[in-house]
Structures are given as C-alpha cells and as structure tokens.
Amino acid sequence: MNVRLLIVFSIFISGVGRGEDLPRWSPENTFVLIVGVLDWQQSSLTTYAKAQRQDVALENQLLARGVPADQITRLLDRDATLKAIERELEDLARRAAPESTLMVYYAGHGMREGGQGVFANFDIDTRRALQTGWTHQSMFETISQHFHGKRVLLFADCCYSGTLEDVAAKLQTKGYAAACLTSASSSNLSTSNWTFTLTLIDLLKGQSLADQNQDDKIALREAALEVAQSMRHFEDQRSGFALAGMSGDLVLAEASEHERMGSVQPPLRRGQYITVSSDGRDANARIVDADALTGRLVVRYRDYSQFRTALVDPGLVQPIYEQVGPGGLPVALPVELALRRASVDGKYRELLRSFSMPSEYETYGSFKEWGKWDGEQWGGQTDLPPGYWVYVYPKWYIWGETSVDPRRARLAELKATRQEVAARIGSLRKALENATAQEEQVKASIVELESEWSDPK
C-alpha cells in the first residue's frame, strides 16, 4: 500500500464574508512539520526514487508563499522516527499562537490497522503497526492536546488516506474547524506517483486551470475538484474530500494570470482531459493551450515526479467525457451531452429505452459501449427491447440502429478491447506493486497466528 503524501494543515482564517472578505489561508502565521520517508529500516517495505522528490518541492513552494523558514521543521527518511515525529509535532503545536496555522506533511507508506489509519515512520515494524507506527489516533491526540489554534486541514496522498476523515471529524468535536483532502478514499489504494503533490503545489502556486468560477481565486472546494480530476484521469483512482466545520470557500491562493498562445477550437476546451493516441498507444493528458502558429494543442502529461508538456495534433485526441466532483465521485453529464456520448457521437440512432442504474459505475466506470444484446431483463427492468447497449453514468441506453459498417464496428470494438486490456494491465501492475509492500506484513501475521494456535508439544 503506497502513501505518497499526508499533509495536515491548520488554517488561520481572517474572517468569513462575501466577495473580497472570503476566508484566507495566512502563510506568515503558519508552523510546518514536513515528514518524508522514501526508504525504511524494514527492508521488506517498497522504497521510492529520491530524485525530484516532491516533499522538498512542496517545502520550497511554502517558503515562496511566505511561510517563515524558522517556522518549518523537516524530517526526511531515517530522521523521521516515530519518536521524532511525535516530538516535533508537539513542539510546533505548542509554539503555534491561537490565531496561527499548524501544517503537518507526511510522505511514505500507509495502511489500515484496528479500524484506523497508520502511517509508516522510518522505524516502523509492520507486524506491530499500531504499536510502532504513526497512528491517526496519535496524530489527533497530539493536535487536540497541544494546538491552541482554531482550524485544521488534512491533506493526504496515500492508500486509504480517506480515513483522515475520522481525524477531521474528531477534531471538530474538540472545537476546531477541520477538513481533509486526500488522494484516495478510505477504501482504495493510492498510486506510487507524486501526482497528488504535484497538483497540490500547482494549487498553492495559483494554477489558473483550477479557478472553476473564474473569480481569480483558488478556494478549498475548487482545490478538491482539481485533485479529484487529476487523480481520476491520470491515476484512475478515486480521491477523498470532507468538510468538518471548515468553509469550502477558504482561499488557498490567488489564481495566476495565464498568457494564452492561441485559442482551443470547440468542441475541445482549455483544461479538458483527453486521451491522446500516438504510436499505437493511448495516454491521458490535459489541454493547457493551443499553439497560435500551428494550431496544435499544448497538452500536459504526468510522469512519476513531474508534469511535462508537449504539442499534439488535434486529430490524435479524444475528449474524456467523464466528470468527477470533489471526492472523486462521478457527476452525471447534462442531458444533451449524455445523449451525444451515449450515441457514441452518432454511431447509434433511434433510442428505444433508457433507465437509471448508478450502481453499474462500480463495474463499468462512467462509460461502457456494450454492443448488441437481446436480453429482456436487467437491473429490475423487464420487457427490454433488443438493441445496442451503451452505459453513460448513471443510465443504460438501448439503441435500435447503428450507422456504422459491421466491419468498421468490429475494428472499433477490437481497438476498444485493446484499450481496456492495456488499462487492466496498468491496474494489475499497480496492484502488484502495492501488494509487494503488504507481503511481509501478511507473512508475519500468518506466522504469529500459527504460533498462537498450534497444538502444544
């Protein structure tokens, strides 16, 4: 299980109001603990490349935003023992003034034990994770006992990072305004890439693509939507977001000005996620701009520890229609766009029936072109007509005709199957990587249980 990041912010808010009087994060009143662990004392835990590590890049961005250097404590790798983490968090919490910000950042591995989240400090023994790891309960107790500020914000990029919702909820009961924004929900694994951190750094820089309502500000709720889209389209995973007494209007940054090189031609648009087909391979990207001279799209790809840009021909791209909301949950398309998507851009005609079945998202995602099926019953529906089935969240659409030659349809079907297989291979590779980190813990648990329940000799 891979944890790339955990960040805990407690945010000073200058006031609540309208327009220019929106609540704002105050960097100069912020105390920061940065904990980054990319290798461990326990050799069975998967290690990560330290080149271009984004925990350090995040620290640099916080400094650039105005957090004083003497208010930042950093613990990396072997310096990040459990004792050191808890000591430094307590020290920062004690030093923070009533109106100040407390920020805690963690990068490493994470797991669920005993109904709570645990993050792997350098000296963790995963066979005794609750006793030797940095637990969510310990984090909550340290903050609630020693921090005298009012607001706490939790950010996490880790397997099961959504379990931080429990910490936020507990902090709210102690009088704090809390929230959490995470790369994963409480029930899914997380990528080993730095995608969440890269997105977070962009947000703190004021990435204009995140300014959904174009008010020249990046609010917490907009940040959650930006993270949800980035994690869904670049990493194929659901993120997490919860407010526990904190305003979603909290301003994290002023949106930076963007100098456009050209106009993105409809139906494509700036900021849209797309699939680029090149050299027999498909890769997701995001439209940043268009080149005024060539008309080619300026797109952004995700690598392990960076976003990179490239120029691509508009003819090589397909728009990603799926939309997600804060927390990574799907959002239904507008009726007209949903019908266009369901017809596969005119491939199918004569809509015979449609019916809602949101639960199919867990099986097929936001879109599935099933093809010809003559079944009469499905999902509690009866007397269904034979036809061509297409799923666009949250509905199935049954069409009577196809305008595509059968041979061309078969080629399109084979291409779609190849794309699904490639995506499945990528998911399996990610699952294998995550499973490796758990293998030692599982083996140790088996040995322990066998020892406890073996017959006495």
Side-chain angles (χ1 to χ4, degrees):
M1 58 193 88
N2 297 314
V3 179
R4 292 292 344 141
L5 288 176
L6 161 68
I7 304 173
V8 181
F9 287 87
S10 168
I11 306 274
F12 166 71
I13 298 181
S14 58
V16 179
R18 299 184 301 274
E20 295 302 320
D21 197 27
L22 291 172
R24 295 171 182 272
W25 169 49
S26 178
E28 62 273 14
N29 294 322
T30 300
F31 291 78
V32 182
L33 173 65
I34 291 180
V35 180
V37 191
L38 303 185
D39 57 29
W40 287 263
Q41 181 174 279
Q42 183 175 318
S43 60
S44 62
L45 289 172
T46 301
T47 60
Y48 299 100
K50 297 182 181 180
Q52 296 182 309
R53 57 188 302 166
Q54 294 302 302
D55 46 5
V56 174
L58 178 60
E59 178 190 13
N60 292 335
Q61 180 56 39
L62 291 169
L63 288 169
R65 284 295 309 274
V67 179
D70 61 357
Q71 293 176 195
I72 299 179
T73 299
R74 185 177 71 180
L75 298 172
L76 298 183
D77 302 326
R78 63 179 58 253
D79 291 331
T81 63
L82 177 60
K83 184 177 180 180
I85 292 171
E86 293 180 335
R87 180 185 67 241
E88 296 300 333
L89 178 56
E90 179 178 338
D91 177 69
L92 284 165
R94 287 182 181 276
R95 286 200 284 138
E99 294 295 327
S100 65
T101 296
L102 175 65
M103 177 185 293
V104 181
Y105 166 97
Y106 169 85
H109 279 299
M111 61 205 74
R112 293 181 59 142
E113 289 290 336
Q116 66 170 306
V118 181
F119 294 91
N121 37 280
F122 176 77
D123 54 343
I124 191 174
D125 179 351
T126 56
R127 294 168 296 185
R128 301 174 56 247
L130 289 176
Q131 292 73 38
T132 64
W134 189 23
T135 66
H136 285 183
Q137 181 63 24
S138 170
M139 185 193 308
F140 161 70
E141 290 175 356
T142 301
I143 295 173
S144 62
Q145 291 173 15
H146 304 291
F147 177 56
H148 300 293
K150 297 179 180 178
R151 298 164 180 88
V152 178
L153 177 60
L154 311 171
F155 289 93
D157 186 350
C158 57
C159 297
Y160 313 116
S161 52
T163 53
L164 283 177
E165 294 180 11
D166 296 335
V167 180
K170 288 180 179 179
L171 289 171
Q172 185 180 18
T173 67
K174 296 295 183 179
Y176 299 97
C180 70
L181 174 59
T182 61
S183 69
S185 72
S186 61
S187 59
N188 63 275
L189 302 177
S190 188
T191 176
S192 61
N193 297 319
W194 288 98
T195 305
F196 176 85
T197 317
L198 289 165
T199 304
L200 179 60
I201 292 171
D202 274 352
L203 289 165
L204 293 175
K205 288 179 179 178
Q207 167 61 264
S208 60
L209 292 176
D211 183 16
Q212 297 290 327
N213 62 1
Q214 298 183 354
D215 66 349
D216 298 325
K217 300 175 182 64
I218 308 300
L220 178 57
R221 188 174 284 106
E222 289 175 316
L225 181 58
E226 186 73 3
V227 166
Q229 293 175 337
S230 185
M231 299 310 299
R232 179 69 184 95
H233 300 309
F234 282 132
E235 302 296 347
D236 194 26
Q237 70 183 53
R238 178 183 166 186
S239 60
F241 177 58
L243 295 171
M246 180 175 285
S247 172
D249 293 328
L250 175 71
V251 176
L252 296 178
E254 298 294 323
S256 59
E257 294 184 2
H258 180 80
E259 183 178 351
R260 289 176 172 78
M261 294 180 292
S263 298
V264 179
Q265 297 301 311
L268 300 174
R269 57 179 173 77
R270 182 172 177 266
Q272 185 175 22
Y273 284 88
I274 56 175
T275 298
V276 181
S277 299
S278 180
D279 298 326
R281 300 183 62 182
D282 294 334
N284 285 1
R286 192 181 194 187
I287 299 174
V288 176
D289 236 322
D291 184 83
L293 295 177
T294 66
R296 301 177 76 190
L297 297 172
V298 182
V299 304
R300 181 187 242 195
Y301 294 99
R302 187 271 305 148
D303 290 332
Y304 166 67
S305 59
Q306 65 179 338
F307 288 128
R308 60 179 176 86
T309 58
L311 291 173
V312 301
D313 190 315
L316 298 177
V317 311
Q318 288 292 330
I320 295 177
Y321 289 94
E322 178 182 5
Q323 299 181 18
V324 293
L329 292 172
V331 175
L333 296 174
V335 174
E336 183 177 345
L337 184 57
L339 282 171
R340 175 182 169 186
R341 180 59 167 152
S343 72
V344 193
D345 294 324
K347 176 179 176 180
Y348 299 109
R349 299 186 300 240
E350 189 186 352
L351 181 63
L352 303 177
R353 179 86 73 87
S354 67
F355 61 91
S356 182
M357 199 170 177
S359 61
E360 294 281 61
Y361 176 81
E362 298 299 326
T363 303
Y364 300 115
S366 62
F367 173 80
K368 175 65 178 180
E369 184 181 0
W370 181 266
K372 191 75 164 60
W373 193 56
D374 296 335
E376 297 180 356
Q377 300 182 29
W378 189 254
Q381 302 289 318
T382 59
D383 298 324
L384 296 174
Y388 298 91
W389 286 54
V390 179
Y391 183 74
V392 175
Y393 175 85
K395 291 183 176 182
W396 277 109
Y397 297 80
I398 307 175
W399 300 89
E401 297 180 3
T402 177
S403 60
V404 177
D405 180 90
R407 290 172 296 179
R408 293 181 60 190
R410 178 56 179 165
L411 289 174
E413 181 181 342
L414 290 173
K415 180 180 178 181
T417 301
R418 184 192 67 185
Q419 293 173 347
E420 290 182 9
V421 170
R424 180 58 177 163
I425 290 173
S427 298
L428 290 172
R429 285 174 175 167
K430 188 181 299 183
L432 179 60
E433 179 182 334
N434 291 325
T436 301
Q438 303 177 34
E439 183 177 359
E440 185 67 23
Q441 182 182 354
V442 173
K443 287 182 179 178
S445 298
I446 292 173
V447 171
E448 184 177 345
L449 288 172
E450 288 177 342
S451 175
E452 290 179 0
W453 293 95
S454 62
D455 294 330
K457 296 182 180 179

